Amino acid sequence: MSLQMYWYPKCGTCRKAKKFLEEHGVDFKEQNIVDEPPSQEELTRLIQKSGLPVKKFFNTCGKKYRELGLSRKLKELDEQEQLKLLASDGMLMKRPIVTDGDKVTVGFKEEEFKEKWLS
């Protein structure tokens, strides 16, 4: 099983996730979420597979999120507008996003990674 990991190399959480996968011998491909953000179509698939709402894919702690005042603005946008905004800038995305094409994790929680990617 080869995973796709959308990550940002300077992100500490992403580095922890990468280290976890490497230490457990999990095969994965990296895609820099800033240089090559997933398209709106790919994000739509990831969100559908994850079962999470679009809002869970936003990096609410990020500088860009705060600069754009998205804590208020997101409430006014419909799902398609949120997706378009999310796809426009990888720094707006919560990371890492990991998928095997069927399952999806957003962020890094060791227990969730053990459950999803080691079983």
Side-chain angles (χ1 to χ4, degrees), residues 22-116:
E22 288 173 343
E23 286 177 350
H24 289 88
V26 178
D27 185 36
F28 66 97
K29 295 180 191 112
E30 301 166 12
Q31 183 171 327
N32 187 315
I33 207 164
V34 176
D35 294 343
E36 285 182 79
S39 67
Q40 190 170 339
E41 295 76 24
E42 179 64 13
L43 277 171
T44 300
R45 282 191 295 278
L46 291 167
I47 290 165
Q48 288 171 344
K49 295 279 184 184
S50 75
L52 298 169
V54 177
K55 289 178 182 174
K56 292 288 185 182
F57 279 73
F58 278 91
N59 179 11
T60 58
C61 298
K63 180 180 175 186
K64 191 85 161 202
Y65 183 89
R66 291 190 309 272
E67 284 174 356
L68 295 174
L70 293 180
S71 61
R72 293 182 317 279
K73 290 182 185 173
L74 277 185
K75 296 171 187 154
E76 301 164 8
L77 302 176
D78 67 29
E79 191 171 286
Q80 283 305 311
E81 291 169 321
Q82 290 178 25
L83 270 168
K84 187 176 180 179
L85 180 61
L86 198 55
S88 73
D89 189 334
M91 291 303 282
L92 291 174
M93 292 179 210
K94 185 167 180 150
R95 51 197 183 259
I97 300 171
V98 180
T99 185
D100 63 0
D102 188 37
K103 298 176 290 205
V104 177
T105 56
V106 181
F108 174 65
K109 293 184 181 115
E110 189 170 331
E111 288 306 312
E112 184 181 27
F113 266 49
K114 283 180 183 174
E115 180 186 314
K116 292 244 172 127

